[in-house]
Amino acid sequence: MVILILLGILGCGHAVPHKIVKDYKNKVHGTVAVLPVIGEKADSDVRYLFRIMTQERLHQMNYNPLPIGVVDEKLTSANIGKKEFLSKPPAEMAGLLSVDAVIYVTITDYDRDFLITYASLGIEARFDMYLGAAGEKIWTAKYKHKESDFGIDKNMLKIQITKIYEPIIQRIVDAAFSTLPANPEKREIIKQGEDKKRYFEWLK
């Protein structure tokens, strides 16, 4: 049996670097699209978790995110691949998806270390929200979290370390969105439905 001991948790209690426009409340939007997560160094599961957790957080804050499956289908229909996705301005992406705002999630740092009896995982992500019509960045936040574990068996550590992806990503998402005001207006929620694709394949 492998016993994992959580060591220091970095990032907890630290201020979250962020910027938000002064008149944000006057620019509250209706529909929001969470775009595929950027960050090739990170595992596809990590990118997927960031996206769905961002989506869930928007729902909790009374925003109206377009279902991820709908976003991906629209991008696929428009032949928007990785190269095109990164080169198109936010206003164009919002227009293509028929939403009022778009959110980009970028994994800016992804660090995994596996030694004989030691493993650590550190992730940093940035969240950027752009207002659709003008393409104006109205909110950005960045946060980093790292956890380290000791164990006996190296191979088992590699398996067990994947189980801490979700809580680490959740802490990052929660910290970043703590700097964003909740939507003051009650929006009609778009039904999520069942996504036909687990993840946007071309971003893997």
Side-chain angles (χ1 to χ4, degrees):
M1 180 178 179
V2 179
I3 299 175
L4 299 180
I5 303 174
L6 290 181
L7 296 181
I9 300 177
L10 305 183
C12 294
H14 291 203
V16 180
H18 70 282
K19 292 182 180 179
I20 188 168
V21 294
K22 293 182 178 179
D23 56 344
Y24 178 84
K25 291 185 177 181
N26 296 326
K27 297 182 177 181
V28 173
H29 28 264
T31 52
V32 184
V34 181
L35 298 173
V37 176
I38 305 164
E40 292 186 357
K41 291 184 178 180
D43 297 337
S44 60
D45 285 344
V46 171
R47 298 197 302 270
Y48 174 72
L49 284 171
F50 262 109
R51 196 177 184 195
I52 62 170
M53 287 184 180
T54 297
Q55 183 92 346
E56 291 170 357
R57 187 63 172 166
L58 287 169
H59 274 297
Q60 294 168 1
M61 297 179 68
N62 203 28
Y63 287 89
N64 197 0
L66 195 65
I68 290 175
V70 175
V71 173
D72 290 355
E73 286 179 359
K74 287 188 175 185
L75 294 180
T76 301
S77 298
N79 294 317
I80 302 296
K82 181 178 179 181
K83 184 177 180 180
E84 294 80 10
F85 165 68
L86 295 175
S87 63
K88 290 185 178 298
E92 186 174 345
M93 293 298 295
L96 174 68
L97 297 170
S98 301
V99 294
D100 298 295
V102 290
I103 290 184
Y104 291 77
V105 182
T106 305
I107 299 174
T108 54
D109 187 30
Y110 182 72
D111 183 23
R112 293 196 313 175
D113 288 322
F114 294 111
L115 302 177
I116 296 177
T117 58
Y118 172 82
S120 69
L121 173 63
I123 306 175
E124 180 182 69
R126 188 181 72 246
F127 302 78
D128 299 299
M129 181 185 289
Y130 292 86
L131 200 59
E136 175 191 6
K137 184 187 288 190
I138 57 177
W139 171 72
T140 182
K142 182 170 66 173
Y143 197 71
K144 183 173 184 178
H145 187 81
K146 183 175 183 179
E147 291 192 7
S148 303
D149 299 84
F150 276 113
I152 300 172
D153 183 89
K154 180 180 178 180
N155 292 326
M156 284 299 296
L157 276 175
K158 290 183 179 180
I159 296 173
Q160 294 292 332
I161 198 80
T162 61
K163 294 182 179 180
I164 66 171
Y165 281 156
E166 186 169 347
I168 288 178
I169 294 170
Q170 188 68 67
R171 290 185 185 103
I172 294 172
V173 172
D174 288 347
F177 276 85
S178 69
T179 67
L180 184 71
N183 193 339
E185 299 181 21
K186 184 65 178 179
R187 301 290 183 180
E188 180 181 355
I189 300 300
I190 299 176
K191 292 183 179 180
Q192 290 293 298
E194 183 178 352
D195 290 340
K196 294 181 179 179
K197 297 181 181 179
R198 181 174 182 274
Y199 193 75
F200 210 177
E201 296 295 332
W202 53 254
L203 205 63
K204 288 186 178 180

